[in-house]
Amino acid sequence: MKNFWAGIRAEIPLLIGVFPFGLIYGALALSAGLSTSTAQMMSSIVFAGSEQFITAQLVYESAPGFVIVLTIAVVNLRHMLYSASLAPYLAALPTRWKGLLSYLLTDEAYAPTIIHYEKEGITSYAHWYLFGAGFSLWFNWQISTALGIFLGTAIPESWSLDFALPLTFIAMVVPVLKDRPAIAAALAAGVVALIAFSLPYKLGLILAALVGITVGTVLEGRKSTRETLPPKDVL
Amino acid sequence: MNIWLVMLLGGLITFGMRFSLIYLFGRFQIPETMRKALHYVPPAVLSAIIFPELFLREGTLNLSFDNARLLAGLVAILVAWFSKNTLVTIIAGMVALFLLQFFL
C-alpha cells in the first residue's frame, strides 16, 4: 500500500501535465469525426495518448482501417522498449499482474517507475508503485477525455480546432530533433509524405515513415562507426 | 473497416507490445538495429503527418503567403523550439492561425 501511494505521488506532476491533453484529445476527436462513444472508448481500450491523436487525425483524413491499424503498430513500437526495460523487475510476478501492469504501461507511468526500480531495486511490493502510477494516470485520462468530449460539443467549427492536431504533433516532434540523424529522418519523411500524398489508402504516410526511419538509422550507423575509436585521454 | 474493429485491433496491438517483452523475459531480446530504428519512429511518423497538413491545400502544394496554415505552423515550430512546451506551442499556433485567417 505504501508503494501504491508513492506511485501516485510520483505521478501527480505528470497527471497535471496530461490532463489538458485529455481535454484536447476529447474535443479534437469529435471535430475529427469520431462519435462521443468511440472517442471515449478509445481512451479506455487503446489508452495511449499519441496513438489516439494520430488515429483521430487519420479518421479525419478518412484513411482506411488497415492503414490506421498499421500506423498505430509503427508508432507503438517504442512500448516494446519499455516492456524490455521493465521485464527483469516484473519477472517474478504472476501472469495476471504482468497483464494488468502492461495494460497500464504508458510513457508517463514508465518514467517514474523505472527511476523507482533503479533506485530501490526489487522489493516485495514494488509493483504496486507501477500500479499506483499507471492507475492514477488511467483514471485521470478517462476523466479528462470525458470532459474534453463534453466541451468539444460546444466549440464552433469556425475556430479551426482541427488545426490543433498538427500543432500537437509539431510540439511533440520539435524537441526530439536533437541531432542530424533525427532532423534528416524528419525531413525525409516529410518530403516523401508530400510526394506520395496521392497514393491510395493513405499509404504515403506509411511509406514516408519507413523512409524516415531508415534514413535516421543509416545516418546514425555511419556516425557510430566513425566514433567507435575511443578518445585518447580515456585510454 | 469498422471504427470499432480498428479500435479493438489498435488496442490489442498496443497491449501486445507493452506485454510482449515483459512476458517473454529472458527468451527474446530486441536486436540492436531495431533499438536504433525505434529512435526515429517519432520524428518520421509525426513529420509525415505534419508536412501535408502545412504544405498541401486541397491536395496541391501551396507555398504562398495566403497559406495561413503553413505560416501558423512555422510560428508553432519556432515557439516549440524555444519554449519546449506543448501547450504554449498549441496556443501560439492557434492564435497565429486565427490572426492570419482574419488578416489575409
Side-chain angles (χ1 to χ4, degrees), chain A residues 64-167:
Chain A
F66 79 92
V67 171
I68 302 180
V69 172
L70 211 59
T71 311
I72 292 179
V74 174
V75 177
N76 254 328
L77 281 170
R78 71 177 189 289
H79 284 121
M80 290 180 76
L81 286 180
Y82 304 156
S83 188
S85 148
L86 284 178
Y89 300 109
L90 307 179
L93 292 177
T95 308
R96 57 173 199 284
W97 261 110
K98 288 181 181 169
L100 175 66
L101 294 176
S102 299
Y103 167 67
L104 294 173
L105 182 58
T106 53
D107 309 61
E108 290 83 3
Y110 169 77
T113 303
I114 192 67
I115 293 169
H116 177 79
Y117 270 124
E118 281 175 357
K119 211 166 58 191
E120 310 277 321
I122 307 175
T123 51
S124 43
Y125 292 99
H127 56 285
W128 280 87
Y129 188 93
L130 172 55
F131 182 64
F135 178 75
S136 55
L137 186 78
W138 184 87
F139 188 72
N140 178 60
W141 188 244
Q142 306 310 318
I143 301 285
S144 55
T145 302
L147 203 61
I149 291 172
F150 176 71
L151 294 174
T153 49
I155 297 174
E157 209 170 300
S158 61
W159 282 24
S160 312
L161 196 65
D162 62 295
F163 192 58
L165 262 175
L167 288 176

Side-chain angles (χ1 to χ4, degrees), chain A:
Chain A
M1 229 32 204
K2 203 178 104 246
N3 277 314
F4 179 68
W5 290 111
I8 294 180
R9 235 177 296 132
E11 195 65 27
I12 288 174
L14 294 162
L15 296 182
I16 297 168
V18 163
F19 196 85
F21 290 102
L23 285 180
I24 295 175
Y25 161 73
L28 281 180
L30 290 196
S31 79
L34 285 162
S35 71
T36 52
S37 58
T38 29
Q40 183 69 48
M41 284 310 281
M42 189 143 74
S43 275
S44 353
I45 296 178
V46 182
F47 184 45
S50 42
E51 290 72 15
Q52 292 179 221
F53 278 100
I54 289 170
T55 306
Q57 171 74 23
L58 293 176
V59 167
Y60 175 67
E61 294 179 18
S62 36
F66 79 92
V67 171
I68 302 180
V69 172
L70 211 59
T71 311
I72 292 179
V74 174
V75 177
N76 254 328
L77 281 170
R78 71 177 189 289
H79 284 121
M80 290 180 76
L81 286 180
Y82 304 156
S83 188
S85 148
L86 284 178
Y89 300 109
L90 307 179
L93 292 177
T95 308
R96 57 173 199 284
W97 261 110
K98 288 181 181 169
L100 175 66
L101 294 176
S102 299
Y103 167 67
L104 294 173
L105 182 58
T106 53
D107 309 61
E108 290 83 3
Y110 169 77
T113 303
I114 192 67
I115 293 169
H116 177 79
Y117 270 124
E118 281 175 357
K119 211 166 58 191
E120 310 277 321
I122 307 175
T123 51
S124 43
Y125 292 99
H127 56 285
W128 280 87
Y129 188 93
L130 172 55
F131 182 64
F135 178 75
S136 55
L137 186 78
W138 184 87
F139 188 72
N140 178 60
W141 188 244
Q142 306 310 318
I143 301 285
S144 55
T145 302
L147 203 61
I149 291 172
F150 176 71
L151 294 174
T153 49
I155 297 174
E157 209 170 300
S158 61
W159 282 24
S160 312
L161 196 65
D162 62 295
F163 192 58
L165 262 175
L167 288 176
T168 313
F169 299 139
I170 287 174
M172 287 174 179
V173 78
V174 171
V176 300
L177 301 177
K178 280 184 221 141
D179 48 19
R180 277 195 206 166
I183 295 170
L187 288 178
V191 171
V192 173
L194 291 180
I195 298 169
F197 188 73
S198 51
L199 283 185
Y201 311 123
K202 296 276 164 200
L203 284 172
L205 171 70
I206 309 270
L207 181 70
L210 292 177
V211 170
I213 292 165
T214 312
V215 166
T217 314
V218 169
L219 284 180
E220 187 192 339
R222 277 221 207 117
K223 195 180 68 183
S224 58
T225 46
R226 264 208 320 270
E227 287 171 1
T228 37
L229 288 171
K232 274 194 194 117
D233 51 355
V234 176
L235 289 174

Side-chain angles (χ1 to χ4, degrees), chain A residues 21 47 57 66 69 74 76-77 80 83 87 99 102-103 105 159-160 162 167 171 181 186 189-190 193 197 217 220, chain B residues 1 4 7 13-15 17-19 21-22 25 37-38 40-41 44 47-48 51 53 56 69 76 86 90 94 101:
Chain A
F21 290 102
F47 184 45
Q57 171 74 23
F66 79 92
V69 172
V74 174
N76 254 328
L77 281 170
M80 290 180 76
S83 188
S102 299
Y103 167 67
L105 182 58
W159 282 24
S160 312
D162 62 295
L167 288 176
F197 188 73
T217 314
E220 187 192 339
Chain B
M1 210 189 300
W4 287 94
M7 229 164 50
I13 290 172
T14 307
F15 175 77
M17 302 226 178
R18 287 167 176 168
F19 190 55
L21 296 173
I22 289 176
F25 176 65
L38 285 173
Y40 297 101
V41 171
S47 305
F51 271 54
E53 281 288 329
L56 303 181
R69 290 192 172 210
T86 316
I90 297 174
M94 287 306 288
Q101 277 175 341

Side-chain angles (χ1 to χ4, degrees), chain B residues 84-98:
Chain B
K84 310 263 179 224
N85 182 314
T86 316
L87 275 180
V88 171
T89 304
I90 297 174
I91 293 167
M94 287 306 288
V95 170
L97 180 70
F98 186 75

